[in-house]
């Protein structure tokens, strides 16, 4: 059965800073993702705290929110069949050291915190995250 989905992707500050925006978008397009909307923005720490609220109790939360708000990011709505799962596969494991060959994090990730991309982890959270950044 067809399952056309949308998911939220973020090219994180470490990747934007290294001018990897075009290369990473090519990886999405080559896998058949359509980029429905995109914008380059810089967010406030308070917005990062809201976005990553699920991680509020984790020891890395404060650094994570500092980091996501530290420089420009590119937020995108990606569309494809099974986009949520397909994007997680293309991103690779959270820690680039554990990421499979051919994944974005393997190719471009620097460390577990500077891992170049974010992707929604469920269709439900994808809708919430899309609304968060594209609430028009
Ligand atoms: N993160 C971190 N240290 C950790 C685990 C996660 O800095 O030990 C950061 C990392 O940037 C990760 C983000 O927190 O991408 C969100 O963590 P999550 O477990 O949701 O990983 P993801 O869904 O991004 O793979
Ligand atoms: Mg996550």
């Amino acid at each position: 059965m067809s399952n056309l989905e949308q998911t939220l992707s973020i090219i994180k500050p470490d990747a934007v800073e290294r001018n990897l925006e075009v290369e990473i978008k090519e990886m999405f397009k080559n896998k058949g993702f359509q980029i429905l909307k995109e914008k380059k923005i810089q967010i406030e720490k308070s917005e990062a705290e809201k976005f990553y609220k699920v991680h509020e109790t984790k020891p890395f939360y404060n650094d994570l929110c500092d980091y996501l708000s530290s420089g420009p990011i590119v937020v995108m709505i990606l569309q494809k069949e099974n986009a949520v799962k397909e994007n997680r596969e293309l991103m690779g494991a959270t820690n680039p050291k554990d990421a499979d060959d051919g994944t974005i994090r393997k190719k471009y990730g620097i460390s577990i915190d500077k891992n170049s991309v974010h992707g929604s982890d469920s269709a439900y959270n994808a809708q919430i995250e899309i609304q968060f950044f594209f609430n028009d």
Side-chain angles (χ1 to χ4, degrees):
M1 221 175 68
S2 149
N3 182 40
L4 192 63
E5 282 182 336
Q6 297 177 357
T7 191
L8 185 90
S9 171
I10 304 177
I11 304 177
K12 293 182 174 181
D14 68 274
V16 174
E17 188 177 84
R18 286 176 290 150
N19 294 311
L20 295 171
E21 185 182 333
V22 173
E23 284 92 327
I24 291 174
K25 281 187 201 161
E26 278 306 305
M27 288 181 81
F28 288 127
K29 289 178 201 163
N30 290 341
K31 280 276 175 180
F33 287 93
Q34 234 187 309
I35 301 172
L36 296 186
K37 288 188 185 175
E38 59 176 299
K39 58 184 179 186
K40 188 186 277 186
I41 55 174
Q42 181 161 358
I43 61 173
E44 299 290 336
K45 186 174 182 186
S46 59
E47 296 175 278
E49 286 168 346
K50 241 187 261 174
F51 181 74
Y52 273 131
K53 192 148 176 55
V54 291
H55 293 304
E56 192 169 31
T57 60
K58 310 272 173 63
F60 56 83
Y61 179 65
N62 187 56
D63 286 347
L64 175 61
C65 296
D66 274 334
Y67 166 64
L68 195 70
S69 57
S70 68
I73 58 177
V74 178
V75 293
M76 295 171 286
I77 302 175
L78 302 181
Q79 179 169 281
K80 187 183 194 277
E81 286 287 306
N82 305 311
V84 173
K85 181 166 163 283
E86 295 275 312
N87 180 39
R88 296 291 308 190
E89 283 176 14
L90 179 57
M91 286 164 56
T94 305
N95 190 340
K97 282 189 194 138
D98 302 328
D100 290 337
D101 284 345
T103 64
I104 296 171
R105 284 168 165 172
K106 172 75 173 196
K107 206 164 174 200
Y108 298 122
I110 297 169
S111 56
I112 191 163
D113 47 327
K114 295 186 171 173
N115 58 8
S116 301
V117 279
H118 167 84
S120 309
D121 62 5
S122 67
Y124 179 79
N125 285 333
Q127 286 314 307
I128 292 173
E129 292 181 356
I130 286 168
Q131 274 303 309
F132 185 89
F133 283 110
F134 299 95
N135 54 359
D136 44 321

